[in-house]
Amino acid sequence: MKREYCGLFGIYGHPEAARMTYFGLYALQHRGQESAGIVTWDGSTIREQRGMGLVHEVFNERHLGKELKGNVAVGHIRYSTTGVSLIRNAQPFLVRFKDMHLAVAHNGNLVNTLELRHELENEGSIFQTTMDTEVFVHLIAKHMNGSTIEEAIVKACARIKGAYSLLILVNNKLIALRDPHGLRPLALGRLNDNYVFASETCAFDLIEAEYMRQVEPGEMIVVEGGRLTSMRLTDVPTPKRQCIFELIYFARPDSLVFDEGVYERRKAMGATLAREAPVDADFVMPFPDSGNYAAVGYSQESGLPLELAMIRNHYVGRTFIQPSQDMRNFSVRVKLNPVRSMIEGKRILIVEDSIVRGTTIRTRVKKLRELGAREIHMRVSCPAIRFPCFYGIDFSSKGELIAANNPVADIARFIGLDSLHYLSIPGLLDSVTEKNAHCLACFDGNYPIPPCDHQGKLCLEAESKVTG
Ligand code: AMP
Ligand code: SF4
């Protein structure tokens, strides 16, 4: 099963809807680099441009200025680390049936796709892609008989399980919704008289739109003719389970996500970490860029100076020419290089936002040792990741997660650290505003939506022990 990060943007009523969507996607590029797509509607015709690559590679002036006509648009960017990269899996997913044009952009991952797909295939549906989004579209079509599009969407949502933030363009309507747990984010904003939606508010900043609020978990917003209507997907009370990993690592620090400032939350996590696990060191240092904000928080709380002694090459593309000789760990070195003079003889405290496999971090720590660091301690601004995510963040299966089966002392030894501390779960919750509104499943295994059988097996996968 593929797990994907994704970014969404939508706008209603703007004369340059495609161009605004292009900018929105540009600001959300960190959420996906594999493919990008924009679909527009001009009142009678639906148009699309989708392609593999970065936003600026997929669209050109001809698309934005001429071809993608219309004042309603939805856009999507996608990143998938597993499975085949296929253009037909790029979104928004577009279908025409009867007199309806439907474009769907999806962020998240459904957990009952296989079961639903078998059911729909038995009833005669034919699938073109391997995306769970297509299952959702078939469900809408199935429920359209005698129903409005809103009713059909509500019925389709009652069948799907998992994480979904969706933007749906259907004839003259733009519809935005979030699953009842609110696992993935989606924000509502306004640009003059036009409504806009985006996964993160950094997209609003770029086009100078004003942030209004988040689409609430379980809420469906319909925009038509400049009017906004809000309705509930279900009456069943469902606890909020917003992905806390958006705040830890995934979202951009200049965004609001779930109504929380990502920058402030990351700093608060670093400050809590400093109180939980103080250490005597010469300075605090992040591995850029993801660890920067927690490192600032740790430094301010502990009083230890902050040094930026690891330098990142910002121009590393997704692919670069590998050396022909056996230069081990070249890909890690090309990205990050320490400032030699800062390292020798020093007691260094590294603040990192998360450890997944531990292999990249190990290479970086090894380099610091080679340069003569006296002590290397690490404080991680999230709890140990011990369980896989089924809702759209690509972690490895449990067998590859270093913290799944290894005690902290073994992980410290593997990475080559003098000490290692992970932020505790209560410490993490102390660092965010809402205490009982987040999914923590990758830390504690309490899945808000149980993964179905074939996925559940991943959780039971053979345990791997760290060696070396
Ligand atoms: P590793 O050495 O494999 O544990 O890599 C950890 C680094 O990957 C950290 O610096 C994280 O910022 C980053 N990271 C965190 N979560 C993910 C993810 N889901 N996919 C890719 N990289 C991640
Ligand atoms: Fe986010 Fe972790 Fe929950 Fe996945 S399991 S949705 S990464 S908090």
Side-chain angles (χ1 to χ4, degrees):
M1 181 63 35
K2 267 195 287 291
R3 263 163 270 139
E4 295 155 3
Y5 314 157
C6 291
L8 308 178
F9 185 91
I11 185 161
Y12 192 99
H14 195 284
E16 288 215 81
R19 195 178 295 277
M20 292 300 120
T21 305
Y22 171 80
F23 292 139
L25 295 183
Y26 206 97
L28 296 171
Q29 186 78 78
H30 62 288
R31 297 185 72 88
Q33 299 94 41
E34 187 193 75
S35 70
I38 297 178
V39 171
T40 59
W41 170 253
D42 69 356
S44 59
T45 308
I46 200 155
R47 295 181 174 85
E48 65 172 322
Q49 168 63 26
R50 295 179 298 147
M52 306 304 288
L54 300 175
V55 173
H56 75 88
E57 295 166 326
V58 172
F59 306 101
N60 59 34
E61 189 52 41
R62 181 168 49 85
H63 301 131
L64 302 178
K66 272 195 184 153
E67 293 178 1
L68 291 168
K69 291 195 187 103
N71 64 2
V72 189
V74 291
H76 186 270
I77 41 178
R78 176 172 184 268
Y79 171 94
S80 157
T81 50
T82 54
V84 272
S85 307
L86 285 177
I87 180 67
R88 70 167 184 270
N89 281 348
Q91 293 199 15
F93 185 75
L94 185 61
V95 282
R96 297 176 178 88
F97 58 92
K98 298 185 181 160
D99 58 349
M100 191 168 312
H101 300 272
L102 194 78
V104 179
H106 175 198
N107 175 204
N109 197 66
L110 305 182
V111 298
N112 64 338
T113 317
L114 274 190
E115 173 192 321
L116 289 172
R117 193 175 162 127
H118 288 154
E119 180 187 312
L120 288 159
E121 279 174 338
N122 285 339
E123 293 169 7
S125 294
I126 296 167
F127 284 82
Q128 302 162 27
T129 72
T130 54
M131 285 187 294
D132 47 4
T133 314
E134 192 178 2
V135 171
F136 178 70
V137 171
H138 279 278
L139 284 172
I140 296 179
K142 183 176 153 177
H143 291 296
M144 270 311 288
N145 263 349
S147 300
T148 63
I149 179 70
E150 289 86 345
E151 287 163 352
I153 291 173
V154 169
K155 285 179 192 159
C157 287
R159 294 298 318 280
I160 58 178
K161 290 187 193 145
Y164 50 92
S165 280
L166 290 161
L167 285 179
I168 304 169
L169 189 163
V170 53
N171 293 3
N172 289 322
K173 294 176 185 174
L174 177 59
I175 300 175
L177 58 94
R178 277 176 81 200
D179 67 73
H181 291 289
L183 277 150
R184 304 259 74 85
L186 192 58
L188 166 67
R190 193 160 36 202
L191 178 61
N192 306 320
D193 295 332
N194 313 306
Y195 289 108
V196 286
F197 297 93
S199 298
E200 296 178 31
T201 60
C202 64
F204 296 162
D205 296 340
L206 185 59
I207 58 165
E208 298 188 307
E210 174 200 346
Y211 170 61
M212 293 168 68
R213 63 176 177 87
Q214 61 168 345
V215 178
E216 291 300 325
E219 184 186 23
M220 176 160 81
I221 295 179
V222 182
V223 185
E224 186 179 17
R227 269 206 344 273
L228 187 149
T229 320
S230 163
M231 54 196 88
R232 300 290 311 162
L233 288 175
T234 168
D235 297 329
V236 181
T238 315
K240 264 196 219 174
R241 289 292 174 259
Q242 306 177 120
C243 170
I244 205 155
F245 212 70
E246 291 273 353
L247 298 173
I248 294 166
Y249 164 80
F250 197 39
R252 246 171 67 161
D254 50 342
S255 283
L256 292 174
V257 159
F258 313 135
D259 264 336
E260 303 245 34
V262 176
Y263 185 97
E264 288 83 355
R265 292 305 117 223
R266 286 188 192 160
K267 256 180 76 175
M269 289 167 204
T272 312
L273 201 49
R275 290 192 294 275
E276 267 186 12
V279 65
D280 198 12
D282 295 319
F283 61 83
V284 181
M285 175 178 109
F287 282 160
D289 290 333
S290 52
N292 290 0
Y293 317 94
V296 171
Y298 195 105
S299 163
Q300 290 180 358
E301 181 70 18
S302 64
L304 290 178
L306 177 73
E307 296 288 354
L308 305 175
M310 188 71 100
I311 306 303
R312 175 167 167 203
N313 182 339
H314 286 271
Y315 306 98
V316 179
R318 281 163 305 154
T319 52
F320 50 83
I321 298 160
Q322 292 283 346
S324 49
Q325 307 247 310
D326 179 29
M327 288 173 68
R328 286 202 306 128
N329 302 317
F330 183 76
S331 56
V332 175
R333 280 211 311 277
V334 78
K335 226 168 154 180
L336 286 181
N337 193 40
V339 180
R340 281 170 184 269
S341 58
M342 291 299 302
I343 306 299
E344 196 182 348
K346 296 289 176 17
R347 296 169 306 156
I348 301 171
L349 169 60
I350 298 161
V351 173
E352 188 36 316
D353 67 315
S354 52
I355 300 179
V356 183
R357 289 184 176 84
T359 46
T360 328
I361 291 170
R362 181 191 200 205
T363 310
R364 292 169 188 173
V365 168
K366 195 160 171 254
K367 182 73 189 172
L368 296 177
R369 288 273 180 221
E370 282 165 17
L371 295 181
R374 184 144 63 95
E375 289 173 25
I376 306 176
H377 306 270
M378 184 171 284
R379 299 293 177 264
V380 185
S381 66
C382 86
I385 302 171
R386 300 173 52 230
F387 300 90
C389 172
F390 299 106
Y391 313 128
I393 297 278
D394 181 61
F395 293 140
S396 350
S397 61
K398 188 168 176 177
E400 290 172 313
L401 289 169
I402 192 171
N405 305 298
N406 296 287
V408 175
D410 286 5
I411 301 171
R413 205 170 313 122
F414 172 75
I415 297 179
L417 299 165
D418 295 294
S419 78
L420 169 65
H421 178 87
Y422 287 94
L423 184 62
S424 66
I425 292 180
L428 175 64
L429 294 176
D430 272 349
S431 314
V432 295
T433 315
E434 275 192 279
K435 306 295 171 215
N436 187 26
H438 295 98
C439 173
L440 302 167
C442 47
F443 311 125
D444 65 11
N446 290 325
Y447 291 101
I449 307 158
C452 57
D453 285 350
H454 68 280
Q455 291 169 319
K457 276 187 199 138
L458 273 178
C459 305
L460 305 169
E461 230 171 54
E463 303 192 347
S464 78
K465 286 280 175 215
V466 169
T467 51

